[in-house]
Short mmCIF file of all heavy atoms in Angstrom, two decimals:
data_model
loop_
_atom_site.label_atom_id
_atom_site.label_comp_id
_atom_site.label_asym_id
_atom_site.label_seq_id
_atom_site.Cartn_x
_atom_site.Cartn_y
_atom_site.Cartn_z
N GLN I 4 4.00 3.40 -3.05
CA GLN I 4 3.90 4.86 -3.20
C GLN I 4 3.38 5.28 -4.53
O GLN I 4 2.97 6.42 -4.71
CB GLN I 4 5.34 5.47 -3.01
CG GLN I 4 6.04 5.10 -1.75
CD GLN I 4 5.15 5.15 -0.54
OE1 GLN I 4 4.61 6.20 -0.18
NE2 GLN I 4 5.00 4.05 0.16
N MET I 5 3.36 4.32 -5.49
CA MET I 5 2.84 4.65 -6.78
C MET I 5 1.38 4.25 -7.06
O MET I 5 0.72 4.75 -7.92
CB MET I 5 3.73 4.03 -7.87
CG MET I 5 5.12 4.73 -7.93
SD MET I 5 6.12 4.00 -9.19
CE MET I 5 7.10 2.85 -8.28
N SER I 6 0.92 3.26 -6.26
CA SER I 6 -0.43 2.80 -6.36
C SER I 6 -0.94 2.37 -5.02
O SER I 6 -0.32 1.52 -4.33
CB SER I 6 -0.52 1.58 -7.36
OG SER I 6 -1.86 1.02 -7.25
N ARG I 7 -2.03 2.91 -4.61
CA ARG I 7 -2.66 2.52 -3.32
C ARG I 7 -3.37 1.17 -3.45
O ARG I 7 -3.64 0.52 -2.46
CB ARG I 7 -3.67 3.59 -2.90
CG ARG I 7 -3.06 4.94 -2.46
CD ARG I 7 -4.18 5.91 -2.11
NE ARG I 7 -5.12 5.33 -1.15
CZ ARG I 7 -6.40 5.62 -1.08
NH1 ARG I 7 -6.92 6.44 -2.02
NH2 ARG I 7 -7.19 5.04 -0.19
N HIS I 8 -3.73 0.76 -4.65
CA HIS I 8 -4.73 -0.30 -4.81
C HIS I 8 -4.09 -1.57 -5.35
O HIS I 8 -4.60 -2.70 -5.10
CB HIS I 8 -5.83 0.15 -5.74
CG HIS I 8 -6.69 1.23 -5.19
ND1 HIS I 8 -7.54 1.03 -4.17
CD2 HIS I 8 -6.69 2.54 -5.50
CE1 HIS I 8 -8.16 2.21 -3.88
NE2 HIS I 8 -7.66 3.12 -4.65
N ALA I 9 -3.07 -1.45 -6.19
CA ALA I 9 -2.52 -2.66 -6.83
C ALA I 9 -2.08 -3.72 -5.84
O ALA I 9 -1.58 -3.42 -4.77
CB ALA I 9 -1.33 -2.33 -7.75
N LEU I 10 -2.26 -5.01 -6.15
CA LEU I 10 -1.86 -6.11 -5.29
C LEU I 10 -0.38 -6.39 -5.55
O LEU I 10 0.07 -6.57 -6.66
CB LEU I 10 -2.71 -7.32 -5.65
CG LEU I 10 -2.38 -8.60 -4.91
CD1 LEU I 10 -2.44 -8.45 -3.37
CD2 LEU I 10 -3.36 -9.78 -5.37
N LEU I 11 0.39 -6.38 -4.42
CA LEU I 11 1.81 -6.64 -4.52
C LEU I 11 2.12 -8.01 -4.01
O LEU I 11 1.55 -8.48 -3.01
CB LEU I 11 2.56 -5.55 -3.69
CG LEU I 11 2.25 -4.12 -4.03
CD1 LEU I 11 3.02 -3.20 -3.09
CD2 LEU I 11 2.53 -3.79 -5.47
N TYR I 12 3.13 -8.68 -4.62
CA TYR I 12 3.53 -10.01 -4.26
C TYR I 12 4.95 -10.04 -3.74
O TYR I 12 5.83 -9.25 -4.25
CB TYR I 12 3.42 -11.00 -5.46
CG TYR I 12 2.02 -11.44 -5.74
CD1 TYR I 12 1.14 -10.65 -6.44
CD2 TYR I 12 1.55 -12.68 -5.26
CE1 TYR I 12 -0.21 -11.01 -6.68
CE2 TYR I 12 0.26 -13.08 -5.52
CZ TYR I 12 -0.59 -12.30 -6.19
OH TYR I 12 -1.92 -12.69 -6.43
N THR I 13 5.21 -10.90 -2.82
CA THR I 13 6.61 -11.09 -2.30
C THR I 13 7.37 -11.90 -3.36
O THR I 13 6.77 -12.47 -4.32
CB THR I 13 6.61 -11.92 -1.04
OG1 THR I 13 6.18 -13.31 -1.32
CG2 THR I 13 5.72 -11.30 0.06
N GLU I 14 8.65 -12.01 -3.19
CA GLU I 14 9.47 -13.01 -3.84
C GLU I 14 8.95 -14.38 -3.42
O GLU I 14 8.32 -14.49 -2.33
CB GLU I 14 10.94 -12.91 -3.45
CG GLU I 14 11.60 -11.59 -3.70
CD GLU I 14 12.91 -11.50 -3.00
OE1 GLU I 14 13.91 -11.93 -3.63
OE2 GLU I 14 12.98 -10.98 -1.89
N MET I 15 9.14 -15.38 -4.21
CA MET I 15 8.80 -16.74 -3.77
C MET I 15 9.62 -17.17 -2.58
O MET I 15 10.86 -16.99 -2.61
CB MET I 15 8.96 -17.79 -4.88
CG MET I 15 8.49 -19.17 -4.50
SD MET I 15 8.99 -20.47 -5.62
CE MET I 15 10.75 -20.54 -5.32
N VAL I 16 8.98 -17.75 -1.58
CA VAL I 16 9.68 -18.29 -0.41
C VAL I 16 9.22 -19.73 -0.33
O VAL I 16 8.09 -20.06 -0.41
CB VAL I 16 9.29 -17.54 0.88
CG1 VAL I 16 10.15 -18.04 2.08
CG2 VAL I 16 9.53 -16.04 0.71
N THR I 17 10.11 -20.61 -0.09
CA THR I 17 9.79 -22.10 -0.05
C THR I 17 9.15 -22.34 1.33
O THR I 17 9.47 -21.70 2.36
CB THR I 17 10.97 -23.01 -0.24
OG1 THR I 17 11.91 -22.84 0.88
CG2 THR I 17 11.69 -22.74 -1.51
N ALA I 18 8.25 -23.29 1.34
CA ALA I 18 7.62 -23.71 2.62
C ALA I 18 8.64 -24.12 3.68
O ALA I 18 8.51 -23.72 4.85
CB ALA I 18 6.58 -24.76 2.36
N PRO I 19 9.63 -24.91 3.35
CA PRO I 19 10.62 -25.31 4.40
C PRO I 19 11.40 -24.16 4.96
O PRO I 19 11.69 -24.12 6.13
CB PRO I 19 11.57 -26.30 3.64
CG PRO I 19 10.72 -26.89 2.56
CD PRO I 19 9.82 -25.74 2.11
N ALA I 20 11.65 -23.14 4.07
CA ALA I 20 12.33 -21.91 4.54
C ALA I 20 11.48 -21.17 5.55
O ALA I 20 12.01 -20.68 6.62
CB ALA I 20 12.71 -21.00 3.38
N VAL I 21 10.19 -21.07 5.27
CA VAL I 21 9.27 -20.42 6.23
C VAL I 21 9.24 -21.18 7.57
O VAL I 21 9.29 -20.53 8.63
CB VAL I 21 7.85 -20.32 5.65
CG1 VAL I 21 6.87 -19.88 6.68
CG2 VAL I 21 7.85 -19.41 4.41
N ILE I 22 9.22 -22.47 7.50
CA ILE I 22 9.13 -23.27 8.70
C ILE I 22 10.38 -23.23 9.56
O ILE I 22 10.32 -23.12 10.78
CB ILE I 22 8.73 -24.72 8.35
CG1 ILE I 22 7.36 -24.76 7.70
CG2 ILE I 22 8.77 -25.67 9.60
CD1 ILE I 22 7.03 -26.06 6.99
N HIS I 23 11.56 -23.33 8.89
CA HIS I 23 12.84 -23.51 9.61
C HIS I 23 13.70 -22.33 9.60
O HIS I 23 14.68 -22.24 10.33
CB HIS I 23 13.57 -24.69 9.01
CG HIS I 23 12.80 -25.97 8.96
ND1 HIS I 23 12.42 -26.65 10.15
CD2 HIS I 23 12.29 -26.70 7.95
CE1 HIS I 23 11.77 -27.74 9.82
NE2 HIS I 23 11.64 -27.79 8.49
N GLY I 24 13.41 -21.28 8.74
CA GLY I 24 14.32 -20.20 8.57
C GLY I 24 14.03 -18.97 9.47
O GLY I 24 13.25 -19.09 10.40
N ASP I 25 14.68 -17.88 9.13
CA ASP I 25 14.55 -16.58 9.86
C ASP I 25 13.23 -15.95 9.39
O ASP I 25 13.19 -15.28 8.35
CB ASP I 25 15.74 -15.73 9.56
CG ASP I 25 15.67 -14.42 10.33
OD1 ASP I 25 14.62 -13.98 10.81
OD2 ASP I 25 16.76 -13.72 10.48
N ARG I 26 12.15 -16.16 10.11
CA ARG I 26 10.86 -15.74 9.70
C ARG I 26 10.76 -14.21 9.59
O ARG I 26 10.12 -13.70 8.67
CB ARG I 26 9.77 -16.32 10.59
CG ARG I 26 9.71 -17.75 10.55
CD ARG I 26 8.72 -18.39 11.53
NE ARG I 26 8.74 -19.80 11.55
CZ ARG I 26 8.06 -20.55 12.46
NH1 ARG I 26 7.32 -19.95 13.41
NH2 ARG I 26 8.18 -21.85 12.38
N ASP I 27 11.30 -13.50 10.47
CA ASP I 27 11.21 -12.06 10.38
C ASP I 27 11.89 -11.51 9.16
O ASP I 27 11.43 -10.61 8.52
CB ASP I 27 11.83 -11.38 11.62
CG ASP I 27 11.02 -11.54 12.91
OD1 ASP I 27 9.79 -11.75 12.78
OD2 ASP I 27 11.56 -11.57 14.00
N ARG I 28 13.04 -12.09 8.75
CA ARG I 28 13.72 -11.62 7.58
C ARG I 28 12.95 -12.09 6.31
O ARG I 28 12.83 -11.33 5.38
CB ARG I 28 15.13 -12.23 7.56
CG ARG I 28 15.92 -11.86 6.31
CD ARG I 28 17.36 -12.46 6.29
NE ARG I 28 17.30 -13.90 6.21
CZ ARG I 28 17.13 -14.59 5.08
NH1 ARG I 28 17.00 -13.92 3.90
NH2 ARG I 28 17.13 -15.90 5.08
N LEU I 29 12.41 -13.29 6.34
CA LEU I 29 11.79 -13.80 5.13
C LEU I 29 10.34 -13.25 4.96
O LEU I 29 9.90 -13.07 3.79
CB LEU I 29 11.66 -15.34 5.25
CG LEU I 29 12.99 -16.11 5.16
CD1 LEU I 29 12.75 -17.58 5.42
CD2 LEU I 29 13.59 -15.96 3.73
N LEU I 30 9.67 -12.98 6.01
CA LEU I 30 8.24 -12.69 5.94
C LEU I 30 7.82 -11.26 6.40
O LEU I 30 6.78 -10.81 6.18
CB LEU I 30 7.44 -13.69 6.79
CG LEU I 30 7.57 -15.17 6.41
CD1 LEU I 30 6.69 -16.02 7.33
CD2 LEU I 30 7.21 -15.39 4.96
N GLY I 31 8.80 -10.58 7.05
CA GLY I 31 8.50 -9.26 7.57
C GLY I 31 8.20 -8.27 6.50
O GLY I 31 8.75 -8.29 5.42
N PHE I 32 7.23 -7.39 6.76
CA PHE I 32 6.87 -6.33 5.82
C PHE I 32 6.27 -5.12 6.57
O PHE I 32 5.83 -5.28 7.68
CB PHE I 32 5.94 -6.86 4.71
CG PHE I 32 4.57 -7.27 5.17
CD1 PHE I 32 3.51 -6.33 5.16
CD2 PHE I 32 4.32 -8.53 5.60
CE1 PHE I 32 2.28 -6.70 5.59
CE2 PHE I 32 3.07 -8.95 6.03
CZ PHE I 32 2.01 -8.08 6.06
N ASP I 33 6.24 -3.98 5.86
CA ASP I 33 5.64 -2.81 6.41
C ASP I 33 4.16 -2.77 6.20
O ASP I 33 3.65 -3.19 5.12
CB ASP I 33 6.30 -1.61 5.75
CG ASP I 33 6.00 -0.31 6.45
OD1 ASP I 33 4.79 0.18 6.36
OD2 ASP I 33 6.94 0.32 6.95
N ALA I 34 3.41 -2.35 7.20
CA ALA I 34 1.98 -2.34 7.12
C ALA I 34 1.48 -1.50 5.90
O ALA I 34 0.44 -1.75 5.39
CB ALA I 34 1.36 -1.77 8.41
N ALA I 35 2.33 -0.55 5.48
CA ALA I 35 1.92 0.30 4.31
C ALA I 35 1.80 -0.51 3.02
O ALA I 35 1.24 -0.04 2.02
CB ALA I 35 2.89 1.44 4.11
N GLU I 36 2.37 -1.73 3.04
CA GLU I 36 2.39 -2.51 1.81
C GLU I 36 1.02 -3.15 1.44
O GLU I 36 0.83 -3.61 0.30
CB GLU I 36 3.44 -3.65 1.86
CG GLU I 36 4.88 -3.18 1.95
CD GLU I 36 5.84 -4.25 2.20
OE1 GLU I 36 5.66 -5.39 1.69
OE2 GLU I 36 6.81 -4.06 3.01
N HIS I 37 0.14 -3.27 2.40
CA HIS I 37 -1.18 -3.84 2.11
C HIS I 37 -1.86 -3.19 0.97
O HIS I 37 -1.78 -1.94 0.82
CB HIS I 37 -2.08 -3.77 3.35
CG HIS I 37 -1.65 -4.69 4.47
ND1 HIS I 37 -1.76 -6.01 4.40
CD2 HIS I 37 -1.19 -4.39 5.72
CE1 HIS I 37 -1.34 -6.52 5.60
NE2 HIS I 37 -0.98 -5.56 6.39
N PRO I 38 -2.57 -3.94 0.08
CA PRO I 38 -2.72 -5.41 0.06
C PRO I 38 -1.52 -6.09 -0.47
O PRO I 38 -0.99 -5.73 -1.53
CB PRO I 38 -3.91 -5.65 -0.83
CG PRO I 38 -3.95 -4.50 -1.76
CD PRO I 38 -3.41 -3.32 -0.97
N VAL I 39 -1.03 -7.09 0.26
CA VAL I 39 0.22 -7.83 -0.10
C VAL I 39 0.03 -9.34 0.05
O VAL I 39 -0.63 -9.78 1.01
CB VAL I 39 1.43 -7.27 0.73
CG1 VAL I 39 1.19 -7.52 2.24
CG2 VAL I 39 2.71 -7.93 0.32
N ALA I 40 0.59 -10.05 -0.87
CA ALA I 40 0.42 -11.53 -0.88
C ALA I 40 1.77 -12.19 -0.83
O ALA I 40 2.73 -11.69 -1.39
CB ALA I 40 -0.29 -12.00 -2.20
N LEU I 41 1.80 -13.29 -0.08
CA LEU I 41 3.01 -14.15 -0.05
C LEU I 41 2.92 -15.26 -1.04
O LEU I 41 1.90 -15.95 -1.12
CB LEU I 41 3.17 -14.75 1.36
CG LEU I 41 4.26 -15.77 1.51
CD1 LEU I 41 5.65 -15.13 1.49
CD2 LEU I 41 4.12 -16.55 2.85
N GLN I 42 3.97 -15.43 -1.83
CA GLN I 42 4.02 -16.56 -2.75
C GLN I 42 4.90 -17.65 -2.12
O GLN I 42 6.04 -17.46 -1.75
CB GLN I 42 4.59 -16.25 -4.12
CG GLN I 42 4.50 -17.44 -5.00
CD GLN I 42 5.05 -17.22 -6.45
OE1 GLN I 42 6.20 -17.07 -6.61
NE2 GLN I 42 4.11 -17.24 -7.42
N LEU I 43 4.30 -18.86 -1.99
CA LEU I 43 4.96 -20.01 -1.43
C LEU I 43 5.37 -20.96 -2.56
O LEU I 43 4.67 -21.13 -3.52
CB LEU I 43 4.17 -20.79 -0.43
CG LEU I 43 3.88 -20.07 0.91
CD1 LEU I 43 2.88 -20.94 1.77
CD2 LEU I 43 5.17 -19.90 1.72
N GLY I 44 6.53 -21.65 -2.34
CA GLY I 44 6.87 -22.75 -3.23
C GLY I 44 6.94 -24.04 -2.39
O GLY I 44 7.43 -24.06 -1.26
N GLY I 45 6.47 -25.09 -2.99
CA GLY I 45 6.48 -26.42 -2.28
C GLY I 45 5.56 -27.34 -2.98
O GLY I 45 4.80 -26.99 -3.86
N SER I 46 5.61 -28.62 -2.51
CA SER I 46 4.73 -29.61 -3.08
C SER I 46 4.26 -30.63 -2.00
O SER I 46 3.67 -31.61 -2.36
CB SER I 46 5.39 -30.37 -4.22
OG SER I 46 6.57 -31.01 -3.75
N ASP I 47 4.53 -30.33 -0.75
CA ASP I 47 4.14 -31.18 0.37
C ASP I 47 2.96 -30.45 1.09
O ASP I 47 3.12 -29.45 1.67
CB ASP I 47 5.30 -31.40 1.33
CG ASP I 47 4.92 -32.27 2.52
OD1 ASP I 47 4.19 -31.85 3.42
OD2 ASP I 47 5.35 -33.47 2.54
N PRO I 48 1.75 -31.11 1.01
CA PRO I 48 0.58 -30.46 1.56
C PRO I 48 0.70 -30.03 3.05
O PRO I 48 0.31 -28.95 3.45
CB PRO I 48 -0.56 -31.48 1.35
CG PRO I 48 -0.08 -32.26 0.18
CD PRO I 48 1.39 -32.36 0.30
N ALA I 49 1.35 -30.98 3.83
CA ALA I 49 1.51 -30.67 5.26
C ALA I 49 2.41 -29.45 5.50
O ALA I 49 2.19 -28.54 6.29
CB ALA I 49 2.03 -31.89 6.02
N GLU I 50 3.55 -29.43 4.74
CA GLU I 50 4.49 -28.31 4.88
C GLU I 50 3.86 -27.05 4.41
O GLU I 50 3.99 -25.99 5.07
CB GLU I 50 5.77 -28.59 4.03
CG GLU I 50 6.73 -29.52 4.66
CD GLU I 50 8.04 -29.60 3.84
OE1 GLU I 50 8.04 -29.21 2.69
OE2 GLU I 50 9.04 -30.03 4.48
N LEU I 51 3.13 -27.08 3.29
CA LEU I 51 2.51 -25.82 2.79
C LEU I 51 1.40 -25.34 3.76
O LEU I 51 1.28 -24.13 3.94
CB LEU I 51 1.87 -26.07 1.43
CG LEU I 51 2.93 -26.20 0.31
CD1 LEU I 51 2.31 -26.82 -0.93
CD2 LEU I 51 3.52 -24.82 -0.06
#
């Protein structure tokens, strides 16, 4: 609501949480948030 253009980031979410967790809770967002980036944590290339 304060900037139409600035890039917004999520909290860090680990790759295993994305794979095995509640995806709607962890990853869901409002379309108004674009442009928006997801930050992932992990070190396993296949999981990431």
Side-chain angles (χ1 to χ4, degrees):
Q4 306 316 301
M5 291 183 264
S6 171
R7 291 177 52 213
H8 296 286
L10 176 57
L11 305 179
Y12 281 81
T13 68
E14 304 168 87
M15 184 192 71
V16 185
T17 67
V21 170
I22 295 167
H23 305 293
D25 182 343
R26 295 174 185 174
D27 288 334
R28 181 181 64 82
L29 291 170
L30 301 180
F32 65 93
D33 192 290
E36 295 173 36
H37 290 291
V39 59
L41 172 71
Q42 187 181 67
L43 288 176
S46 60
D47 181 285
E50 282 188 341
L51 285 164

